[in-house]
Amino acid sequence: MPEYGYFLSCEQYGPAELIEQARMAEQAGFQALWISDHYHPWNGEQGQSPFVWSVIGALSDAVSLPVETAVTCPTVRIHPAVVAQAAATSAVMTQGRFRLGVGTGEALNEHIFGDAWPAAHVRLEMLEEAILIIRRLLTGEEVNHHGTHYTVENARLYTVPDEPVPIDISGFGPAATKLAARVGDGYITMMPDAPMVEQYRKGGGGGKLVSGGTKVCYDTDKDAAVRTVHRLWANEQLPGELSQVLPSPKHFEQAQSLVTEDMVRDSRVCGDDVDEHVAELKRFADAGFDRVYVNQIGPDLRGFFDLYRTKVLPQLQQSA
């Protein structure tokens, strides 16, 4: 049976709200936490973007659940040597309950210094080199590296965890999934896509951790829930590579004007139907995922956590 976790959204909530949600998630019976790593929200309606590493420090004191970034881009905005230090400290503070989720990122967050946004294949090369640097630094050894994309000189982390930090790689297509299978400690993807999970496992991932996530909107009024999702997360319905290449929240706002409420209604669980919430998470279980994370979009967090504590999570456990 998969473990079920809660997905903390740094795009939609401030630090204090995220910490309170983590406490509520632990009390409701969730077994792990994901937390997004953003410099910008996707649109102005979401309206937040706290520094994820500060929030993780607070989470380490507030809850006892495992924490993972979903996901950090360790290639452009923050040098991999600095990400290594952040990951090492997070692992020490959580007493080994931290995993580093990484991916190739989006221009939305990574182009803020004015550098050209690399092509997808270059971003994958950069990610692989960054992972090599991070892994070496996490050992506590002095690292000197002169690679294609990065230079590191006389770098050493003095605060490191007792065990290596697992590094999971996000993949939404064959090339990234192949990289995850070859060099990752686990695989992250946001769709319950059984063929991609199979590609990962057969390509070298074997029995390593496969994690996925979804967003829902609990509300006793389904139509209100649809309107909430449309206002806050219509960006998720944008096709192709738009989410990777659009450079600012205002561009996402322009693009998501093409997304209708009916598109949201057909793609997201909205409302308080227990069977619909259970079925959404079971799609990931049936596709072979080991961990499934869910995020509540709407404002009724207490109602969401009560529903999952009393009905959704118990029903998932009974059906396993």
Side-chain angles (χ1 to χ4, degrees):
M1 181 182 75
E3 293 182 340
Y4 294 96
Y6 186 72
F7 191 174
L8 298 166
S9 171
C10 284
E11 303 97 310
Q12 191 179 339
Y13 296 100
E17 294 172 300
L18 293 168
I19 300 306
E20 181 58 25
Q21 287 179 34
R23 291 193 180 104
M24 294 169 75
E26 185 167 38
Q27 293 166 3
F30 286 98
Q31 298 166 285
L33 296 171
W34 258 3
I35 184 166
S36 57
D37 180 356
H38 269 244
Y39 194 88
H40 292 136
W42 297 98
N43 55 60
E45 285 289 337
Q46 292 173 359
Q48 293 289 337
S49 60
F51 189 54
V52 70
W53 303 106
S54 299
V55 181
I56 289 171
L59 287 172
S60 72
D61 183 61
V63 297
S64 61
L65 297 177
V67 181
E68 179 168 16
T69 54
V71 294
T72 292
C73 178
T75 59
V76 179
R77 172 170 48 102
I78 304 180
H79 192 283
V82 179
V83 173
Q85 185 182 29
T89 300
S90 296
V92 170
M93 293 185 73
T94 58
Q95 300 179 346
R97 301 188 307 275
F98 177 73
R99 298 180 77 95
L100 177 62
V102 298
T104 57
E106 303 93 15
L108 173 72
N109 299 305
E110 307 303 324
H111 89 296
I112 59 173
F113 301 122
D115 300 314
W117 183 233
H121 74 278
V122 176
R123 302 202 306 270
L124 282 171
E125 291 176 3
M126 296 172 72
L127 180 61
E128 183 169 3
E129 187 175 339
I131 291 169
L132 171 65
I133 293 167
I134 292 167
R135 281 210 174 108
R136 290 182 61 191
L137 285 166
L138 287 171
T139 67
E141 68 179 58
E142 181 176 304
V143 173
N144 290 280
H145 174 89
H146 298 274
T148 303
H149 301 286
Y150 303 105
T151 297
V152 178
E153 290 187 353
N154 308 119
R156 178 184 172 189
L157 298 181
Y158 283 82
T159 300
V160 294
D162 294 332
E163 299 293 332
V165 176
I167 301 177
D168 300 338
I169 299 176
S170 174
F172 300 99
T177 302
K178 182 177 180 180
L179 177 66
R182 184 162 54 82
V183 304
D185 297 308
Y187 176 50
I188 292 170
T189 189
M190 297 301 291
M191 294 295 295
D193 190 329
M196 296 301 288
V197 173
E198 184 178 9
Q199 179 195 337
Y200 170 75
R201 296 209 184 278
K202 289 185 176 180
K208 295 178 182 178
L209 185 71
V210 174
S211 302
T214 187
K215 296 181 184 297
V216 302
C217 188
Y218 168 84
D219 195 304
T220 54
D221 183 333
K222 182 167 185 172
D223 291 334
V226 170
R227 291 192 296 271
T228 297
V229 177
H230 185 258
R231 177 173 60 86
L232 291 169
W233 287 93
N235 59 283
E236 291 203 324
Q237 303 306 313
L238 296 178
E241 296 182 64
L242 287 178
S243 63
Q244 280 77 54
V245 300
L246 292 180
S248 75
K250 69 179 180 182
H251 292 102
F252 278 91
E253 291 163 8
Q254 293 166 5
Q256 69 189 38
S257 66
L258 302 173
V259 178
T260 66
E261 288 188 6
D262 284 341
M263 292 168 66
V264 168
R265 192 184 302 272
D266 292 341
S267 65
R268 283 280 163 239
V269 172
C270 294
D272 59 356
D273 187 307
V274 174
D275 291 340
E276 290 185 6
H277 284 265
V278 169
E280 173 66 9
L281 272 62
K282 275 185 59 63
R283 292 170 63 211
F284 288 86
D286 293 343
F289 284 71
D290 302 303
R291 282 187 182 170
V292 186
Y293 296 81
V294 59
N295 169 258
Q296 159 67 353
I297 292 175
D300 190 356
L301 289 159
R302 177 57 63 190
F304 166 85
F305 283 115
D306 284 347
L307 182 78
Y308 273 68
R309 176 179 57 82
T310 60
K311 297 181 179 179
V312 176
L313 294 177
Q315 190 165 323
L316 287 166
Q317 292 162 357
Q318 291 171 4
S319 64

